Amino acid sequence: MNRKTDIVVVGSGLAGMSAALTAAQSGKKVTLLTHGAGTLAISSGCIDVLGYLNGVRVADPFESMATLPAEHPYSLIGGAETVREAIDWLKSVCRKGGIDMAHAAEEGNHTLITVMGTLKPSYLCPDSFNPDCLKDVHRAAVVTVENMKDVHPGLIIDQLHRYAELSDKEFMEAVLPCPIEHAHRNITPLDIARHVETPEGMKWLEKSLMPYAKLYPVLLLPPICGMKHSQQIWNQLCSALKVKIIEMVSIPPGVAGLRMRDVLKKALNAAGVYMVESAEVVRAEVEEGRCKTVHTLTASGEDAWEADSFIIATGGLLSGGISTAPGKAWESIFQLSLDAPADTEAWSSPDIFGSSFFASMGVKVNHELKPLNGEGNVCLDNVRFAGRVLGGYDFAAEKSGNGVALATGRYAGMLAGKE
Amino acid sequence: MKHTTVVIIGGGATGIGILRDLSMRGVKAVLLEQGGIASGASSRFHGLLHSGGRYAVKDNEAARECIEENMILRRIGRECVEESEGFFVLSQQDDPAYEKPWVEACAKAGIKTEPVDVKEALRLEPNLDPGIKAVYRVPDSSVDGFRLVWHNAMSARRYGGEMLTHHEVFAIDQEGGKVKGVRARNLVTGEEVCISCDVVVNAAGSWAAKVVELVGLEVGVQPDRGTLVAFNHRFTSRVINRLHMSSDGDIFVPHGSITILGTTSFHADRPDAHEAPTEDVLKLLDIGEVLIPNLRSYRILRAFAGTRPLYVAKGSAAGRAASRGFHISDHSEEGLDGMFSIFGGKFTTYRLMAEKLCDLVCEKLGVHAECRTAVEPLIADPSPAMMEKAAKYFPVHSVPLVANRLGDAFPIVVEKAAAMKSNPLLCECEMVTRAEIEYVASDPSSHSMTDVRLRTRLGMGTCQGTYCSLRTIGALTECRVPFPLSPADNLRDFLQERWKGLRPALWGLQAREMELGRAVYAATLNIDGARDEQKN
C-alpha cells in the first residue's frame, strides 16, 4: 500500500504534534505516523524553556538564549523571537482546547513545586500549576491520597523548608482517603485524576478537601484535578472551596502531559491531520539526497508513505529516535551517524548529571533543521528534524525539553508548510 | 575507652564469619568495617557457590575445600543458596584433552561429576551454543553474598558479637611487642573510638596490606580486579562453566531473575578499584558469546567490579595464576604478639577460613570451646504460623523471599507490617515493602539509602532505582529515619551509586533506561539544580 500526502510527520510527542498541526494550519495535507504514545504521556505538561545554563540558574530564559552556543537548537532556529512565537501559538491552541496556560507574574521563569518538594524553573504552565499564590500566604496544606506511593507530604514539606523563600511557611500534611479500589496495583495521580472526571469523583474531592480548605488558604495537590476537563474542575474546586489549589509537578505517568496531548490530538483532528497510531517507521527510501517514502511496519505488513517533505520527531534514546551500540550512535530511520566517540566511556560523565556526549547526542542540522553530513552539507534535502532527536542540547540539565520540542516542531512545520 | 577481647578489622564474609565463630565460642569480639557490611568483594563477585570443579586440576586441595564447604553452606545457610546445580561445558573452542584429567581431578577432590548427553543439555539449557561438545553436571549453586554475610552477622549478634560499620581503623596501638588496642574513626560523624583488646584480627581482604602498614609490617596481598556483568534476564537455569583451564569470562550464574557473567582478572593498583571499565564489559561479551551466542540481545543491567585479595608469596605468580587458597599470618613471628592477618581464599571457603583463624586465636587465648559453625544453621526457620501471618501483610508470592532475606528479623518486620495501616511494595522489582525498608533503615548500621539497598536489594532490579528511589526516600523521610544526608542528597548519592554500574554499558536498552532516569530526576524533579539551592 502506498499513500501520499504533502507532509509526513513521524512521532507524536510535543515536537511531532506541533509540527503536524502547524503544517496543517498552513493548508498542507499532513500524515502523522506514531509508534507509541509520545513523551507527553510521561511529561509534566509544563513548558520548560531554559532553566539553567552551564549549571547556573537563568533569570530570564529569553535573555539567556542569546548566549547559547551556535549549535543549540534555539540558536539554529533564530533564538528568542522564534521561541516566543511558538509559545504564544501553543497558548492559543491550549486555550481553544480548554487549558489556560500561565506565565510567571514577573518576567522570567516560574518556580514550580514538584512532588518531591523540590523547586523547578519552568516558563509556562497550566493555571493549576501556577505557584504564585503561595507567595502571599503563610500557611498551606500538602495533600496526598492514601496509597499513592509517589507522593509523600512529609518529604515534600521537609524539602520545601530547605529553600530560603519557603523556610518560614507553615505546611501541614493531609492524606485523603483513597476513593477507588486499588487491588495490588499502585495508585498514581493518573488514577485519581480520571476518577475526578466522574461526578462522584468530583464530589469526593470537593468533600475531602473541605476541612483543609477551611484552615488553609492554599492547598498543594498531586495533579489529580481531572483529565479532559481539568481547567473547569480546578476552577470549580477553587471557587467552591474558596482556596487556591496548586498542582505539583509529578513523575510519570504524566497527568498534565496527557491533558495537553489530548488537546493537541483534538486540534490535529480538527485540522484534518491523518494520524496513524501503532505504526513504527522502520526504514526510508532515499534517492539522490531526497526521501521518497518512509515505511511502517504493522501487524498487516509494511506500508509505504510518500510525501514531498518529512519531519522526523522520533525523540531521543528513550523514544527510539536515536540508537546506540558500543562505540556507535545513529539516527534510527536514516541511519545518520551521530559521530559518537569510539570509546563508549567517553560518552558519559562520572557525575550522573554532568554534561556529556550522552546527554546531548543527536542529529546535527542546519538553520532549516535539515540534517548535515560530516562535511557540513545538507544530506537529505526534504527532511527536517525536531525535538529530542536533535543534538546540541541537554534537556535534563538545562530544563529545556518541552521548550525545544515545541519551538523546533513548530519551526519545522512552518518551513515545510511554506514549501 | 571500650574493652573487648578481639577486634576484627573487615566486615566481609571472612571478618563476619570470624565474628560469628568467636561469639559462638564465647569470646568477646568487636568488628570494625570502613563501609557497609559486605560492601567489598563479598558482594562484588558472581555469587557462585563453587563445587570446586573450577580448581580441580590446578589446585586439588582448594577444590576439596570448596566441595566440603559447599555442602556445609547448603545446610547451614540454605536461605542464601539457590540450589541451581552447574554444568561444565566443553565448547567448540576448548581443548578436548582437558576433559579426562578434569574428570579425574574432580573425582580425586570428591566432586561428583555426571556426564550429560549434549542433546539433553541443550533441551535443559536451550540458549547454549548448539555446537558444544560435552557437558558435565556438578554441584555448583548460586549464593547471595549480601544475604549470607548478613545472616552470619545476625547470628553473631545473637551470641553477643558487636559490629561497627563506617568505622575506619587509623591506628593499632602496641606496647612491649604486644597489641593493646585499636583506634578508629566513625566516617559518618567524624568521632574517634578507642577499643582496647588482647588480639587484633586483620580480615580486611584487599585492604589487608594497608592495615598491617599501620604496624609497620608487610603482607603478600595483591588486589586483583574482577569485572562482572549483570543481565536483566535469567537466560540459563544453571550455573554454566567452560570446561577448560579457568580463565576470564567463562562463568554464568543465574540469580532470581537475572544472570551474572564473570569475571576478568586484572592487576589492581588499589583495593577499592571498583570501577568496571567498558573494555572489561566488551571483553566479557566476546568471551561469553562462545557459550551463549545470543548474549548481546539481552539488556545489561549493570557492570561492577570487585578486588580479590590474592595471596602472593614473595616471588610467585600473580593474577589468574595465583593461588585461590588462603593464608594466615601470625605476626608474633615478626615480633608483634596478638595480631593475625588472614587473606586470599574464596567466598565459598569463608567459613573454613574463619574456623582455622579462630582455632589459632582461641589457642592463644586459652579458650577450649569447639567450633560449631559447620553444624548450627545461621538462622532458625520461621514458624508456619509466622509465614501465614506474613501472607496477610506482604504480597503472598514474596513471603518466602522476604523470610529468607530477613532471617532473624523476619518476625519483627511481620509484626511491624501488621501494625502499619498498609505495607505497600516500594521496590517492585525486588519485592521490598515499606515495613522492611523502615526496619532496615532504622538499624544502627544503616546511614543512607545505599546501605538500605545493600541489605534489601532495593533498586537492584529492572528499573535500577528510577521508580523506587523517590518513594523510598519519601517513606523514610516521613518515618523520620535520622540519616545524616538531606533527602535530595541521599537520593542523589543513591542514583550516583547506581550510575557507576550503568555507565560502563551505556548503550542499547540500558541507554534508553538512563535517559528516562535523567528525565525523571533532572528534567522533572530538578534534583541536580536543587543541590545548590537547598540548605542542608
Side-chain angles (χ1 to χ4, degrees), chain B residues 218-276:
Chain B
E218 271 179 46
V219 289
V221 172
Q222 169 52 53
D224 184 73
R225 185 186 77 222
T227 298
L228 302 115
V229 174
F231 294 87
N232 188 34
H233 310 265
R234 183 178 177 124
F235 47 77
T236 71
S237 299
R238 292 158 185 77
V239 176
I240 308 288
N241 299 266
R242 282 272 285 274
L243 182 47
H244 64 185
M245 214 44 156
S246 45
S247 177
D248 287 349
D250 53 1
I251 312 180
F252 291 89
V253 186
H255 290 269
S257 60
I258 70 164
T259 308
I260 295 179
L261 164 64
T263 37
T264 58
S265 177
F266 283 106
H267 171 89
D269 49 7
R270 54 196 170 83
D272 59 346
H274 289 166
E275 303 83 9

Side-chain angles (χ1 to χ4, degrees), chain B residues 110 124 133 285 387:
Chain B
L124 292 169
K133 302 286 181 209
L285 291 176
M387 295 295 278

Side-chain angles (χ1 to χ4, degrees), chain A residues 90-109:
Chain A
L90 182 74
K91 273 175 73 179
S92 73
V93 173
C94 286
R95 174 160 307 125
K96 266 185 222 143
I99 300 176
D100 289 337
M101 300 292 282
H103 291 281
E106 290 143 33
E107 274 297 294
N109 282 325

Side-chain angles (χ1 to χ4, degrees), chain A residues 103-116:
Chain A
H103 291 281
E106 290 143 33
E107 274 297 294
N109 282 325
H110 284 293
T111 302
L112 302 181
I113 298 168
T114 78
V115 290
M116 201 196 153

Side-chain angles (χ1 to χ4, degrees), chain B residues 39-236:
Chain B
S39 56
S42 298
S43 62
R44 298 174 173 279
F45 73 124
H46 38 42
L48 169 59
L49 189 63
H50 281 285
S51 60
R54 189 170 171 80
Y55 306 110
V57 170
K58 201 173 63 187
D59 189 345
N60 206 258
E61 168 83 23
R64 174 170 290 280
E65 285 171 5
C66 280
I67 188 64
E68 285 172 6
E69 287 301 306
N70 177 310
M71 292 302 154
I72 291 170
L73 294 180
R74 282 165 193 254
R75 270 199 319 273
I76 66 157
R78 62 190 180 84
E79 297 78 9
C80 311
V81 177
E82 190 184 329
E83 298 215 11
S84 36
E85 80 177 20
F87 275 176
F88 270 75
V89 177
L90 188 76
S91 78
Q92 297 189 74
Q93 297 188 7
D94 298 323
D95 179 6
Y98 186 73
E99 188 177 337
K100 195 164 163 269
W102 177 79
V103 172
E104 287 165 5
C106 284
K108 186 170 166 235
I111 303 160
K112 203 177 142 213
T113 58
E114 180 197 330
V116 181
D117 174 58
V118 167
K119 243 173 102 184
E120 173 65 1
L122 289 170
R123 189 186 68 81
L124 292 169
E125 296 292 352
N127 284 315
L128 280 174
D129 174 34
I132 54 172
K133 302 286 181 209
V135 180
Y136 288 85
R137 178 177 278 132
V138 296
D140 279 337
S141 259
S142 315
V143 62
D144 186 326
F146 286 126
R147 198 188 292 172
L148 189 73
V149 177
W150 260 104
H151 284 197
N152 270 281
M154 284 189 267
S155 169
R157 273 181 176 171
R158 230 184 296 131
Y159 283 100
E162 199 183 326
M163 48 190 209
L164 299 171
T165 55
H166 300 285
H167 277 67
E168 182 182 42
V169 172
F170 64 88
I172 297 172
D173 297 325
Q174 43 183 311
E175 198 174 68
K178 203 180 165 335
V179 294
K180 226 175 67 175
V182 169
R183 278 178 284 152
R185 187 175 294 108
N186 181 332
L187 296 176
V188 179
T189 64
E191 273 169 67
E192 287 183 10
V193 292
C194 291
I195 307 172
S196 71
C197 62
D198 304 323
V199 171
V200 172
V201 173
N202 169 19
S206 288
W207 285 264
K210 298 212 168 223
V211 170
V212 294
E213 266 173 35
L214 297 173
V215 291
L217 296 175
E218 271 179 46
V219 289
V221 172
Q222 169 52 53
D224 184 73
R225 185 186 77 222
T227 298
L228 302 115
V229 174
F231 294 87
N232 188 34
H233 310 265
R234 183 178 177 124
F235 47 77
T236 71

Side-chain angles (χ1 to χ4, degrees), chain B residues 371-447:
Chain B
C371 174
R372 289 187 289 116
T373 57
V375 288
E376 187 177 309
L378 296 174
I379 62 166
D381 282 342
S383 68
M386 187 50 73
M387 295 295 278
E388 211 169 292
K389 182 168 187 182
K392 286 187 215 153
Y393 307 106
F394 294 82
V396 174
H397 49 297
S398 78
V399 172
L401 176 74
V402 175
N404 286 347
R405 192 157 59 203
L406 286 168
D408 280 7
F410 182 59
I412 307 170
V413 176
V414 172
E415 294 306 333
K416 185 178 172 66
M420 286 164 58
K421 211 170 162 196
S422 71
N423 182 31
L425 263 184
L426 296 188
C427 168
E428 282 133 3
C429 305
E430 298 287 343
M431 307 237 269
V432 194
T433 62
R434 181 161 176 170
E436 187 176 351
I437 284 170
E438 284 188 15
Y439 170 79
V440 170
S442 62
D443 188 283
S445 68
S446 297
H447 300 283

